[in-house]
Amino acid sequence: MQGKIIVVTGALGALGKVVADIAQSRGARIAGIDHAPSQMSATTERIEIGGVDLSDAAQAKTAVDAAAKHFGGLDALVNIAGGFAFETVGDGDIKTWHRMHALNVLTALNASHAALPHLATSKAGRIVNIGAMGALQAGSGMGPYAASKAGVHRLTEALANEWKGKVTVNAVLPSIIDTKTNRADMPKADFAKWVTPQELAEVILFLVSDAASGVTGALIPVSGRV
C-alpha cells in the first residue's frame, strides 16, 4: 500500500472507514468521498470530500477530480457507497427499485467513469466494487437490492474487459457484514457467522495491491466463518 493513492467512496460508513483506516496505516494516501459531511481537515495523507451525491455524474466527476488534483493522481478506486432495502415485489414500491439502482449501480458507474482517465495513467490502476452474494440468487424481499447488485457484477465484468491491460476491475461479494446496523436489524442472528469489515477490507486491499496484478473481472464471494 505504501504510496498508493486510493479513493474510497462511502468512506464514512462502517466498511468504508475500516478500509480507509487500514490502507492509510499501511502507507496509502486516502481520498474519502461520502454523501455525509466531511469530518476532518485535509492533510497530505488523507482528505474527505463530503456532501457528494455520487448518483449524479457531475458531482462524482468533481469529487474524483478534486481527489486526483490534491494528490497528483490516482492509483485505485474502491466503490463502497451504496444502500440496502428489503421489500417484496408484490407489496413494495417501484420507487425502491429506482433508489437501489441509483445507490448501488449509478454510484459505482459514475465514480468509475470519473476515475478511469486518472487510473489509466497509473502503473497499477485498480477498481474494486462491492457486489453481494445475495445477488447470485435472490430470495423473497431481496428483489430491488439483488437486481441492483447484479448490475454491479455486470458493470465489473464489462469494465474489466474494456480496460484489460490498463486497469484491473474486480468485485467482492460479501454475505452479511457484521455491523452495528445489521446486528440491530437481525438481533437473533448468529453474528459469529458474518463477515467482519476487517476481513472484507483485507480482500479489498489485496485486490488493490501489486500482488493482484493478474486478477481482473473476478467476482469474489466473502462469506465469513460458516
Side-chain angles (χ1 to χ4, degrees), residues 14-33:
L15 176 59
K17 189 175 187 306
V18 170
V19 170
D21 287 348
I22 292 176
Q24 185 179 1
S25 74
R26 296 176 183 174
R29 289 174 286 174
I30 304 298
I33 300 176

Side-chain angles (χ1 to χ4, degrees), residues 3-12 16-17 19-21 23-24 27-34 38 40-50 52 54 60 62-81 111 115 118-119:
K4 288 189 179 295
I5 302 167
I6 305 173
V7 169
V8 179
T9 73
L12 299 181
K17 189 175 187 306
V19 170
D21 287 348
Q24 185 179 1
R29 289 174 286 174
I30 304 298
I33 300 176
D34 205 286
S38 173
M40 63 177 289
S41 300
T43 68
T44 56
E45 291 80 30
R46 188 162 176 170
I47 60 169
E48 287 183 357
I49 304 171
V52 180
L54 288 169
T62 297
V64 171
D65 286 350
K69 182 178 181 180
H70 181 81
F71 289 120
L74 295 179
D75 296 307
L77 167 68
V78 181
N79 282 312
I80 297 176
H118 301 291
L119 298 175

Side-chain angles (χ1 to χ4, degrees), residues 8 29 50 76 84-85 109 114 157 195 213:
V8 179
R29 289 174 286 174
F84 176 78
L109 170 63
E157 293 166 338
V195 61
S213 61

Side-chain angles (χ1 to χ4, degrees), residues 64-137:
V64 171
D65 286 350
K69 182 178 181 180
H70 181 81
F71 289 120
L74 295 179
D75 296 307
L77 167 68
V78 181
N79 282 312
I80 297 176
F84 176 78
F86 185 88
E87 190 173 282
T88 62
V89 177
D91 296 328
D93 191 329
I94 298 300
K95 291 179 180 178
T96 302
W97 290 72
H98 290 287
R99 182 164 61 89
M100 287 294 96
H101 179 77
L103 288 175
N104 293 321
V105 181
L106 291 184
T107 55
L109 170 63
N110 291 335
S112 297
H113 191 269
L116 279 164
H118 301 291
L119 298 175
T121 66
S122 169
K123 294 180 180 179
R126 305 279 191 266
I127 295 176
V128 182
N129 295 321
I130 307 299
M133 286 183 66
L136 298 177
Q137 184 174 4

Side-chain angles (χ1 to χ4, degrees), residues 145-164:
Y145 175 75
S148 66
K149 285 299 188 178
V152 174
H153 299 178
R154 303 293 83 83
L155 171 65
T156 300
E157 293 166 338
L159 285 176
N161 280 287
E162 292 171 13
W163 290 81
K164 194 169 185 178

